[in-house]
Amino acid sequence: MKSGRIVILTGAGISAESGLGTFRDVGGIWTQYDVAEVATPEGFARDPALVRRFYDARRENALAASPNAAHHALARLEAAMGDRLTLITQNIDTLHEAAGHRRVWHMHGRIDRARCADCGSVTPWAGPMTAEDTCGDCNAVGRLRPDVVWFGEMPMMLEDIADALACADLFVAIGTSGAVYPAAGFVADARVQGAKTLELNLERSDVTSLFDETRLGPASDLVPRWVDELTG
């Protein structure tokens, strides 16, 4: 291996065992809403109160959840590898941080932060979001939105992610559907650069065929065992 660098991508599957539903869950929170109404800039412009209520519920659930064995195992791996490990997550929860992971790249933003739709400033946010809330930087009223990436918006940190993938010796996807781009294309990007690839998932994803190896099962089982293999 070039320098033993590992890039890990986590998706909703790693948080599912902590009680946070995935986009594809039958009867889950996403199935109760039209995505265009609650997860797009246009939806926010039409009905900001509806969007805020939707994310208030998601924020409450996320902040009440606890990290599971998979989150703790990855934090343990970071402690062993330091900056040779890059953790990218599609999740807007902060369960990785709650488990002790110090450096997490949230490419789809974070549910525990608010962003001003006018000036773009970001601030920590724990409670409900209302039309009366004021931006602390530009003083705009009623313009705060969740600091998350909606459909039609550009994910965060893409240049940094591309640089990390270019230097990776191993790319690992955990709990991802392989259906959402650009994240679904990371395995192909890593392969082009010569990295080995591993998928840890509950079931086969849309891009399973691109991985060198796939292991199927619950993240709370697969991830700790894989980390044990690496760390001895």
Side-chain angles (χ1 to χ4, degrees), residues 193-213:
Q193 299 293 338
K196 297 294 184 182
T197 57
L198 170 65
E199 179 181 42
L200 305 176
N201 220 353
L202 187 60
E203 57 190 17
R204 291 174 63 86
S205 72
D206 290 0
V207 292
T208 291
S209 62
L210 297 180
F211 286 89
D212 295 316
E213 180 185 358

Side-chain angles (χ1 to χ4, degrees), residues 49-136:
L50 172 65
V51 174
R52 291 191 183 103
R53 288 197 303 270
F54 175 77
Y55 282 95
D56 285 347
R58 295 195 68 195
R59 185 181 306 107
E60 183 178 5
N61 290 342
L63 294 178
S66 298
N68 60 56
H71 297 102
H72 287 293
L74 293 181
R76 180 159 52 88
L77 184 60
E78 182 193 50
M81 294 191 63
D83 61 9
R84 290 184 296 123
L85 175 68
T86 298
L87 178 65
I88 306 160
T89 187
Q90 296 173 275
N91 300 335
I92 60 176
D93 65 64
T94 56
L95 292 178
H96 285 300
E97 288 88 348
H101 213 105
R102 295 191 174 189
R103 194 170 66 114
V104 185
W105 293 1
H106 284 267
M107 64 179 296
H108 291 160
R110 288 175 49 159
I111 192 65
D112 65 340
R113 298 192 302 207
R115 186 195 327 156
C116 177
D118 282 356
C119 73
S121 66
V122 175
T123 186
W125 204 269
M129 200 172 290
T130 73
E132 288 72 42
D133 293 321
T134 302
C135 173

